[in-house]
Amino acid sequence: MFPCPDLTPEELVARVQELPPGSPGHEQAVVQLAQYVQCVAEQVARRLHTLGQVSQDLVDQSWEHVEPRLGSFNTENGTFTPWLRTVLHNLGRDLCRRSRRGVSFDEEQLDEYPERQANGNPIEDNLEKLTQLFGQMRTALDQLTPCWPPSRAVDYCAVFLVCLRVQLAERYRALIRQYYDEIPLNQLADCVARWLPWHPHEEPRSFRCGLPSIGDLWEQLAPLLNENRGLNVVLTALGEQAVSYTTFTQWVHRARQQAQERLGDDWQLLGFANLLTPHRNQED
């Protein structure tokens, strides 16, 4: 019996490639390597923020997708795990794109919730569908934010991330209040943060030098989201003297423009266009 548990992923790959198919050593190596591939696929799914069926499909199809590609792995170019993550990441992106073709976000998905609920389709099912769609937004942002640097003195990427969360909260609050009189404090913030998590490299960003990081700003925003004040809630969290209303509306407008240019087709396909609507004067 060859000691599969003691072998590195690179050694398992070598066994799968070199030993005769059907031999005990080959079969053991296949089992061990397939298990390893599935574990890495679960990690990749979490990083891609795929949810529900897309996440499960990524794990289920991981070995079937990776096995015929093992011949392209070369130890001279690095270790197996980074190569594997790249292959699985590409698979995850493909699965997300296929899922998007079958379901795209638009205003009617929110507007039709009361009718769907009356027909016996529970609100939780509809929220799960939205959760999948918001997860696909996060997947698109994974490709966007690392290569979106601050423009001169303003970080429009940071503005975009905060305003997108605020408008997700707006939609969620409008939906929930059709069924419940009150929403527990911070529930909106918790739900939105799960739908649109921020990565460690994003949270330290700030709108401009001297203002708090968006991670710290979110802590101030969280208890304010139950109030129906639109994007003005961001100004409240920053403090009245920090940024003028006119300046902030300019930031939002430019952030929206830059995001649309950078996201391309995903701007419409994933619902950014519907969620991040042009800012309007909603001064209290």
Side-chain angles (χ1 to χ4, degrees), residues 6-283:
D6 297 329
L7 298 179
T8 66
E10 292 76 18
E11 290 169 332
L12 286 172
V13 171
R15 291 274 181 166
V16 170
Q17 293 175 325
E18 296 169 3
L19 293 177
S23 66
H26 180 271
E27 294 304 312
Q28 283 184 320
V30 166
V31 170
Q32 293 288 323
L33 190 58
Q35 291 175 345
Y36 181 76
V37 167
Q38 288 184 337
C39 288
V40 175
E42 292 174 355
Q43 297 172 0
V44 171
R46 288 194 292 270
R47 290 184 178 184
L48 284 171
H49 300 281
T50 58
L51 297 168
Q53 190 59 48
V54 175
S55 178
Q56 189 60 51
D57 287 346
L58 175 56
V59 176
D60 291 344
Q61 298 179 28
S62 58
W63 175 243
E64 180 181 315
H65 182 78
V66 169
E67 184 180 20
R69 291 167 173 80
L70 289 176
S72 63
F73 168 68
N74 188 339
T75 55
E76 294 180 358
N77 296 327
T79 56
F80 178 69
T81 303
W83 175 89
L84 175 62
R85 287 200 182 103
T86 300
V87 171
L88 292 174
H89 179 89
N90 292 337
L91 172 61
R93 294 283 291 171
D94 288 343
L95 291 173
C96 287
R97 282 193 289 268
R98 293 175 204 167
S99 176
R100 278 179 252 168
R101 293 190 195 109
V103 149
S104 62
F105 181 95
D106 62 45
E107 296 285 329
E108 294 181 358
Q109 287 184 285
L110 287 175
D111 295 340
E112 292 175 359
Y113 276 131
E115 179 181 350
R116 293 176 182 176
Q117 178 71 2
N119 292 334
N121 200 2
I123 189 172
E124 287 80 7
D125 290 349
N126 298 318
L127 286 174
E128 174 62 23
K129 189 174 184 180
L130 276 185
T131 300
Q132 284 187 296
L133 292 165
F134 294 149
Q136 292 169 8
M137 282 186 173
R138 180 63 260 188
T139 299
L141 291 174
D142 284 347
Q143 308 302 311
L144 174 70
T145 61
C147 56
W148 189 356
S151 300
R152 296 181 181 176
V154 180
D155 189 339
Y156 293 110
C157 178
V159 175
F160 181 72
L161 289 172
V162 170
C163 291
L164 184 58
R165 270 194 177 185
V166 170
Q167 294 218 328
L168 289 180
E170 290 279 296
R171 299 305 178 88
Y172 180 63
R173 183 182 60 245
L175 170 63
I176 292 298
R177 281 184 172 165
Q178 296 180 53
Y179 303 97
Y180 305 103
D181 293 332
E182 296 182 0
I183 305 174
L185 189 65
N186 282 342
Q187 178 175 316
L188 281 174
D190 292 342
C191 289
V192 171
R194 287 197 300 270
W195 276 332
L196 191 69
W198 289 341
H199 296 320
H201 69 85
E202 295 168 341
E203 291 191 349
R205 303 180 75 154
S206 62
F207 293 174
R208 72 179 179 195
C209 183
L211 293 180
S213 69
I214 63 173
D216 291 339
L217 176 60
W218 187 251
E219 295 298 318
Q220 300 299 317
L221 272 171
L224 303 175
L225 291 179
N226 280 33
E227 303 175 30
N228 187 15
R229 288 188 287 173
L231 291 175
N232 286 333
V233 72
V234 180
L235 291 176
T236 302
L238 284 171
E240 294 182 359
Q241 305 303 318
V243 180
S244 71
Y245 178 83
T246 300
T247 297
F248 181 63
T249 56
Q250 290 174 347
W251 289 356
V252 174
H253 176 71
R254 290 172 184 168
R256 189 178 189 275
Q257 282 186 323
Q258 291 189 17
Q260 183 174 358
E261 293 171 0
R262 291 169 178 272
L263 284 164
D265 292 341
D266 281 345
W267 177 258
Q268 293 287 344
L269 186 60
L270 297 185
F272 290 102
N274 292 324
L275 280 169
L276 197 69
T277 55
H279 190 69
R280 298 175 181 174
N281 192 327
Q282 299 175 354
E283 289 182 296

